[in-house]
Amino acid sequence: MKEAHLVTGATGFIGGALVLELLRRTDDDIVAMVRPGDTGAVERFRQSIHHAASPCCRTSCAGIRTC
C-alpha cells in the first residue's frame, strides 16, 4: 500500500534533503506545503530541491506534479 508523506519546511536545507531522500528511497506520494515567494510556490520548491541536491546526484524535477 502506498503511503503519503506531508513535508513542511521543504524549501529549507533539511526539508529539501528529506524530500530528496523520500524520492530516492520510496515510491510514496510526497506533499510539500510551500509558501509562495517572488517566483511562486512551485518554482520556489523546485529551486530549493535543486539547491539541496549535491552536484553529483542532481535530480530532475520534471516528475513533480502540482495541484
Side-chain angles (χ1 to χ4, degrees):
M1 182 167 151
K2 202 170 193 181
E3 301 268 337
H5 304 276
L6 173 64
V7 180
T8 61
T11 58
F13 182 75
I14 300 295
L18 175 64
V19 168
L20 289 173
E21 277 302 307
L22 287 168
L23 288 171
R24 283 188 198 112
R25 294 179 182 221
T26 72
D27 287 329
D28 298 345
D29 290 331
I30 301 168
V31 177
M33 295 181 66
V34 179
R35 289 188 313 257
D38 294 337
T39 59
V42 173
E43 186 58 30
R44 185 170 174 236
F45 178 70
R46 288 179 187 202
Q47 288 174 359
S48 69
I49 293 300
H50 283 293
H51 182 72
S54 67
C56 65
C57 61
R58 289 219 184 269
T59 58
S60 170
C61 293
I64 295 176
R65 296 177 306 182
T66 62
C67 54

